[in-house]
Amino acid sequence: MFLKRKIDMMDLINLLPENCIAHILSFTTPRDICRSSLVSPVYRLAGESNVVWEKFLPPDYRDIVSRLCSPVASCSSTKELYFHLCNPARIDEGKMTFSLEKSSGKKCYMISARELLITWGNEPMYWTWKSIPQSRFSEVVELRTICWLEIHGKFSRKMLSPETNYAAYLILKVTERAYGLDTLPSETSVEVGDQRSSFSAYLCHCDNNKKSPDKLCFLHRFELLSGQVVGEEHRVPCCRDDGWMEIELGKFFSHGGGGGCDGGGNGDGDEVKMSLLEVNGYHLKGGLVIEGIEIRPKY
């Protein structure tokens, strides 16, 4: 009986005009469209409609397309344009990349290292700017040696998708000759208005069996500083599919009337401020390669 009712319902839906089904599908998600196309040929045809896929594109997609560094090839449909924009592409003269999250159509951005504020970032004694084939940007920056690690970034919340939980991630690599990055945790934070989300993180996986010269020379100081963060949860970098690693800096909620970080509050700031600092140990560290900061939906 249940199966018969299910079949009858499918027959009724199949009797609807294609544009009516397309209008209904436009209130779902790209993921739902792909799934429904497997159920019925009628869904599959309706799911190809430009009406459906234009609903999934952000309202300012024409402006975003005009800012792409490489012009978009002629797309035969709105659906084709949608999936083209799901691939990260450089915009604004290569200062950042833009993409759509494929399953939801939410906006994602990555800010290049050149657009970040890095303490002594233009001092060749401490940092080196170079091009590497693995990066989507023309330049990345590598930490040679420094005792004061401080990285800041900012982004307009208005450029993001509304009513969406977001997180910011530092995109990095650690060279084979890296040192001092696992001695003490760094402090990360994301601020929007008067709200703040913060974490404690190591920039590489700790090796408790390895005794670096830093730890041997300043063992007592490091033990005192480490004792202040005992019991806290420390994040470590995670591997990405593109060969880089990432570490979460913090999270926040983006909505039309003003944003606030995770945890509530009525923050009304339009600027997302992100940072990573390790300024307590005064020990030398090096071998950190920064590509940028990525901002994407968090579920």
Side-chain angles (χ1 to χ4, degrees):
M1 178 65 72
F2 174 77
L3 182 59
K4 184 178 185 301
R5 287 181 179 176
K6 187 174 181 181
I7 294 173
D8 291 342
M9 182 62 70
M10 289 297 298
D11 290 339
L12 289 173
I13 292 175
N14 290 337
L15 292 175
L16 293 174
E18 183 180 312
N19 62 345
C20 181
I21 296 176
H23 180 70
I24 294 171
L25 291 177
S26 69
F27 290 95
T28 62
T29 67
R31 176 180 289 174
D32 293 331
I33 297 294
C34 295
R35 288 174 175 172
S36 64
S37 66
L38 302 174
V39 175
S40 164
V42 176
Y43 282 0
R44 184 164 59 252
L45 289 173
E48 297 293 324
S49 169
N50 285 338
V51 174
V52 173
W53 290 95
E54 184 146 7
K55 189 74 174 290
F56 297 145
L57 289 169
D60 59 342
Y61 78 89
R62 289 184 176 86
D63 174 64
I64 293 170
V65 169
S66 70
R67 292 157 54 196
L68 293 172
C69 294
S70 300
V72 176
S74 179
C75 296
S76 61
S77 67
T78 310
K79 178 182 178 181
E80 186 178 345
L81 175 61
Y82 176 89
F83 283 106
H84 181 87
L85 293 177
C86 289
N87 298 311
R90 290 182 298 138
I91 62 173
D92 297 345
E93 301 178 341
K95 296 177 181 178
M96 64 178 73
T97 66
F98 169 83
S99 64
L100 296 175
E101 187 185 53
K102 186 176 293 186
S103 64
S104 67
K106 302 290 188 180
K107 294 178 179 179
C108 308
Y109 290 91
M110 185 187 294
I111 310 166
S112 70
R114 269 294 182 191
E115 296 303 299
L116 303 179
L117 178 61
I118 302 174
T119 301
W120 297 310
N122 292 318
E123 294 291 337
M125 180 183 299
Y126 305 120
W127 294 89
T128 300
W129 292 91
K130 60 183 182 179
S131 298
I132 61 174
Q134 299 88 352
S135 176
R136 67 202 74 194
F137 296 113
S138 59
E139 285 183 303
V140 299
V141 65
E142 180 175 345
L143 175 60
R144 297 185 64 188
T145 185
I146 208 167
C147 63
W148 186 284
L149 180 60
E150 186 172 4
I151 301 171
H152 295 273
K154 59 182 180 180
F155 194 82
S156 173
R157 182 189 52 79
K158 293 180 179 179
M159 294 173 62
L160 300 171
S161 299
E163 304 302 321
T164 303
N165 288 306
Y166 274 95
Y169 302 84
L170 183 70
I171 311 303
L172 58 92
K173 282 181 180 287
V174 176
T175 67
E176 293 181 357
R177 297 184 178 181
Y179 58 91
L181 300 178
D182 62 348
T183 305
L184 287 174
S186 299
E187 299 304 316
T188 71
S189 70
V190 171
E191 297 182 34
V192 183
D194 60 353
Q195 300 300 306
R196 188 171 189 268
S197 169
S198 61
F199 298 104
S200 180
Y202 284 100
L203 294 175
C204 65
H205 292 270
C206 301
D207 185 353
N208 294 325
N209 296 321
K210 185 178 75 173
K211 294 295 183 181
S212 67
D214 303 327
K215 291 182 179 179
L216 292 175
C217 293
F218 304 103
L219 184 59
H220 180 64
R221 174 174 174 78
F222 289 141
E223 286 178 346
L224 289 176
L225 290 171
S226 297
Q228 298 174 10
V229 294
V230 168
E232 292 185 11
E233 179 185 354
H234 303 307
R235 295 172 179 260
V236 293
C238 302
C239 293
R240 293 163 52 97
D241 293 337
D242 59 7
W244 289 80
M245 294 190 294
E246 66 180 28
I247 193 159
E248 184 179 332
L249 301 178
K251 50 192 175 180
F252 62 98
F253 183 71
S254 173
H255 56 84
C261 288
D262 180 76
N266 296 314
D268 57 356
D270 288 328
E271 192 171 67
V272 182
K273 300 177 182 178
M274 305 154 285
S275 67
L276 180 141
L277 296 88
E278 201 296 279
V279 297
N280 293 319
Y282 298 107
H283 61 287
L284 293 178
K285 36 200 165 275
L288 179 68
V289 181
I290 303 296
E291 185 182 34
I293 293 179
E294 184 176 59
I295 303 172
R296 67 173 190 261
K298 181 179 177 66
Y299 299 105

